[in-house]
Each structure stands twice: as C-alpha cells, then as structure tokens.
C-alpha cells in the first residue's frame, strides 16, 4: 500500500510502497503530481530506478529538460552525474549554497529528480526550504515590496563578470562551462509566483542568481533581499534529507530553494539527476 508521511511540519514528504517496475499508471502520476504540489519535495526511499525508469518518472511532471552549462553523462545528454570523488577535498560542491536552479533562464527548470547511487556513510545531505511557507509568513512590510514586482536574475557563475573563485568551484568530476556573456543578461521573473496545481503563492528569489528588483538598483535591493533570504531560509521552512543508496528525491525548483551540504571530504558521492520543464513561472 502506498503511504505518504510528512518529513517536517511545513515541507517535504516521504512516500513508501511505491513501485515503478511495472510502469507508472495515470493514477500513480496524478498522486505524485499532487504530492509534489502539496509538499514541494517528495522522497521515495529505496526505489533504485534504472536511468530509463528515472526518466519515465521525470516525464510524470513535465518534459525532460537538458540543462545548459553542465556537462551531461556521455551516454545520455539528459542526465547529469552529480559526483564528488573521495580525493576532491577542500573544494566547493555542486549546489553548495541556497539557490533555485538556473533561475536566470527565460524558462527556468520546473523541477528535478535525484537518484542516489553511492553516498557517504555520514554527510552529503541535501536541504530544501519551502518558499510557499516562506511567502505565507513573510512580514507585511516585505510582502508589500515583493507583491506585483519583478526581480532581475543573471547567471553569474557562468558568465564573464562574476565567475566564482577557483577554490569555491565544484571539483573536476562535474565539468561546467563558464565565460558565456549570454549568462550575464538580465532576465526578469515575478518575485512571487503561483504554483499551478495548488494555486498557492511562492517566493521566487534566490541569493545566487537574483541581483535586484526591476525598478530598484542593486544597492537599493540588497538590504531588502538580505532580509528576505534571512527569513526564507529559516529552519522552520526547511527539510534536511539524509540519503541512502537507492533513494529518490523530487522537488519543485520554483517553490523551494535547496542546498547541497559539503561535509564529506574523503568519501565518494554519486547521484544521477534529471530535470523537467513546464510553462514559465507566472504570478
């Protein structure tokens, strides 16, 4: 029997009894889509999908999307191997700060799936923070600023102007292209978006790619964004997931932020990642 249980009070849920070896029926797909809309992140323990099965699971939520700037697996250009080898010590880690993936694209990813192949005995957790809960509890003075406003996003790590220092970059196992002037373009998205299935509103801002509000300078926006980020990454809204080999996590890239912890030097960590698309985020 399929059961769903919350992982924390405000976000994240674990689903048990889910079997995709015989395919995914329409009822199963509907259940998963609503679970994701309700919880922003859902985990299926011990699923051990093949890459083919993972891609079929991805298609439940939207068309599979090829990510730019990150080198995919040689055998499948729709899958990224999120890998850190045991000897990649004292280096940054892929996704090692609060962010929403590629929010600087005109149509950012709608969500992603990670399948754990090999994980450390301890460490390498992923943390998500619900931006639905963050918006619902946002102080009124900040709500008045973000409601009806657009924010500017740029692909700073991949552009020319703001490339991160070498020591902060992920290790050699994840190859990324940088120095693309197109990534420095300013892209506008609503600061508050609506999740289509649930109709709930969510913040759509993040400290990696959001630089300012549309009608403000970076200097004017900075203290406001700092207050919002302090609020929206509170532990109250967060779910820290401890991986086991075979686990699968699915998240809505637009209604939650996520953070990959980097506390496992000396251990190998490998997950396969697929991404799905949808209509552009809308207020």
């Amino acid at each position: 029997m399929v059961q769903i249980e919350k992982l924390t009070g405000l976000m994240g849920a674990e689903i048990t009894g889910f079997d995709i070896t015989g395919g995914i029926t329409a009822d199963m797909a509907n259940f998963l889509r609503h679970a994701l809309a309700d919880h922003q992140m859902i985990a299926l323990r011990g699923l051990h999908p093949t890459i083919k099965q993972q891609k079929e699971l991805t298609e439940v939520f939207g068309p599979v999307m090829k990510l730019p700037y990150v080198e995919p697996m040689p055998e499948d250009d729709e899958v990224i191997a999120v890998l850190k080898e045991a000897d990649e010590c004292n280096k940054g880690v892929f996704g090692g700060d609060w962010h929403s993936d590629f929010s600087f694209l005109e149509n950012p990813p709608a969500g992603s799936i990670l399948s754990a192949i090999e994980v450390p005995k301890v460490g390498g957790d992923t943390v998500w923070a619900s931006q639905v809960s963050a918006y619902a509890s946002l102080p009124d003075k900040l709500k008045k600023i973000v409601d009806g406003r657009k924010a500017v996003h740029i692909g700073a790590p991949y552009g020319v102007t703001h490339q991160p220092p070498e020591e902060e970059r992920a290790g050699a196992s994840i190859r990324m292209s940088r120095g693309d002037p197109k990534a420095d373009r300013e892209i506008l998205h609503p600061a508050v978006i609506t999740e289509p299935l649930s109709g709930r509103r969510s913040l759509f801002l993040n400290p990696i790619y959001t630089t300012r509000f549309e009608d403000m300078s970076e200097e004017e926006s900075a203290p406001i964004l700092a207050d919002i980020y302090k609020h929206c990454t509170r532990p109250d809204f967060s779910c820290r997931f401890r991986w086991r080999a075979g686990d699968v996590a699915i998240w809505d890239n637009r209604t939650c932020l996520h953070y990959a912890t980097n506390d496992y030097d000396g251990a190998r960590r490998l997950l396969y990642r697929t991404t799905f698309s949808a209509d552009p985020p809308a207020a």
Side-chain angles (χ1 to χ4, degrees):
M1 174 183 287
V2 176
Q3 293 183 312
I4 185 166
E5 183 176 341
K6 284 186 173 184
L7 287 169
T8 72
L10 294 178
M11 86 152 300
E14 181 175 317
I15 297 171
T16 56
F18 207 86
D19 183 6
I20 64 172
T21 54
I24 302 172
T25 66
D27 285 346
M28 292 165 68
N30 188 58
F31 171 83
L32 288 172
R33 285 191 289 265
H34 279 85
L36 186 62
D38 288 342
H39 301 287
Q40 292 89 67
M41 172 270 186
I42 52 178
L44 294 89
R45 293 281 194 186
L47 197 66
H48 293 280
T50 64
I51 288 179
K52 182 176 182 292
Q53 288 170 338
Q54 181 173 342
K55 291 176 71 172
E56 289 171 351
L57 183 60
T58 307
E59 289 171 345
V60 164
F61 303 95
V64 177
M65 177 180 178
K66 298 178 185 178
L67 290 177
Y69 302 111
V70 184
E71 186 175 297
M73 295 173 61
E75 60 270 34
D76 194 318
D77 64 2
E78 294 178 333
V79 184
I80 291 172
V82 181
L83 171 64
K84 182 182 176 184
E85 294 285 7
D87 60 359
E88 293 180 52
C89 298
N90 302 314
K91 294 287 291 183
V93 66
F94 187 62
D97 207 341
W98 286 111
H99 66 289
S100 171
D101 289 327
F102 298 94
S103 67
F104 62 91
L105 297 178
E106 291 185 13
N107 188 7
S112 286
I113 297 180
L114 278 176
S115 173
I117 307 304
E118 184 177 348
V119 293
K121 184 177 180 181
V122 177
D125 299 351
T126 304
V127 191
W128 287 270
S130 169
Q131 299 308 284
V132 172
S133 297
Y135 175 76
S137 60
L138 195 67
D140 286 343
K141 66 177 182 178
L142 292 176
K143 270 190 179 174
K144 289 177 181 177
I145 294 172
V146 298
D147 281 344
R149 251 195 179 94
K150 290 187 176 181
V152 173
H153 299 243
I154 67 168
Y158 309 103
V160 176
T161 311
H162 304 287
Q163 291 189 52
E166 183 69 31
E167 64 274 10
E168 294 180 12
R169 300 180 186 182
S173 294
I174 297 180
R175 298 185 182 277
M176 288 182 251
S177 59
R178 303 185 189 274
D180 180 3
K182 290 187 293 185
D184 289 331
R185 292 181 304 176
E186 293 191 335
I187 300 295
L188 288 168
H189 293 299
V192 180
I193 63 172
T194 300
E195 198 286 315
L197 196 57
S198 68
R200 293 193 293 174
R201 304 187 77 197
S202 169
L203 289 170
F204 190 61
L205 305 163
N206 72 91
I208 294 294
Y209 302 123
T210 307
T211 59
R212 63 182 180 87
F213 293 105
E214 180 181 20
D215 53 351
M216 297 183 188
S217 67
E218 289 190 25
E219 291 74 20
E220 292 170 323
S221 301
I224 301 168
L225 289 171
D227 285 346
I228 290 172
Y229 297 147
K230 182 178 179 180
H231 170 81
C232 72
T233 57
R234 284 168 47 188
D236 313 54
F237 314 132
S238 301
C239 172
R240 181 166 180 148
F241 186 67
R242 185 171 183 177
W243 294 97
R244 297 192 295 255
D247 290 346
V248 166
I250 307 164
W251 72 94
D252 186 321
N253 184 56
R254 298 172 181 175
T255 62
C256 64
L257 301 180
H258 61 287
Y259 185 113
T261 61
N262 189 20
D263 57 351
Y264 56 98
D265 279 357
R268 190 174 193 264
R269 182 179 184 267
L270 172 64
L271 303 97
Y272 292 155
R273 173 170 155 169
T274 48
T275 297
F276 52 92
S277 184
D279 291 336

